[in-house]
Amino acid sequence: MRIERELMRGAGPLAVLKALERQEMYGYELAQVLEKRTNGVLAMGQSTLYPMLYNLEAKGLVHGSWREATEAEGGRARKYYALTAKGRARLAKDQKQWVAVSGALAGLGIRADLVS
């Protein structure tokens, strides 16, 4: 299922922050995790993910740091992203809002267990 742009604008940053909550990751790794953990629903291409990461970094929600990769990893430098304290606070706030919206939609009869 492909998520429309407007829904991805809200869900995408929250998904990225949540994925980075566990561990720091470089962009391609993050894209793979998002695709796998969401069964492809929140799969993002480079043209979506990297601008989102740059935006989150500009807002101080994530911090990127460059590292040289080992020869086994291909030898290229990679930018790893990690949550900042501000990002953790934003994640907590956004999760609460997402739960409230999900609950409100459930009150209207829109629930994940009823959608086919």
Side-chain angles (χ1 to χ4, degrees), residues 62-74:
V62 301
H63 171 74
S65 59
W66 286 97
R67 292 191 210 149
E68 290 297 322
T70 65
E71 284 186 39
E73 296 172 325

Side-chain angles (χ1 to χ4, degrees), residues 9-116:
R9 280 192 191 155
L14 175 58
V16 167
L17 294 176
K18 186 65 178 174
L20 291 174
E21 180 181 42
R22 288 184 176 184
Q23 68 183 48
E24 59 185 27
M25 290 181 246
Y26 59 93
Y28 181 73
E29 178 183 25
L30 179 58
Q32 289 180 313
V33 165
L34 290 170
E35 183 171 359
K36 183 178 178 182
R37 290 191 192 155
T38 67
N39 294 319
V41 174
L42 296 179
M44 294 182 212
Q46 292 180 7
S47 63
T48 300
L49 181 60
Y50 285 101
M52 188 180 301
L53 284 168
Y54 301 150
N55 185 283
L56 293 170
E57 189 172 22
K59 291 178 179 178
L61 302 176
V62 301
H63 171 74
S65 59
W66 286 97
R67 292 191 210 149
E68 290 297 322
T70 65
E71 284 186 39
E73 296 172 325
R76 291 183 41 206
R78 295 179 175 158
K79 190 171 185 180
Y80 282 77
Y81 294 91
L83 277 184
T84 62
K86 186 176 177 181
R88 289 188 188 284
R90 178 63 177 267
L91 174 59
K93 177 184 171 188
D94 287 357
Q95 285 183 131
K96 287 178 185 175
Q97 289 183 37
W98 196 262
V99 168
V101 168
S102 297
L105 291 172
L108 294 170
I110 302 171
R111 298 186 348 227
D113 60 334
L114 295 179
V115 178
S116 56

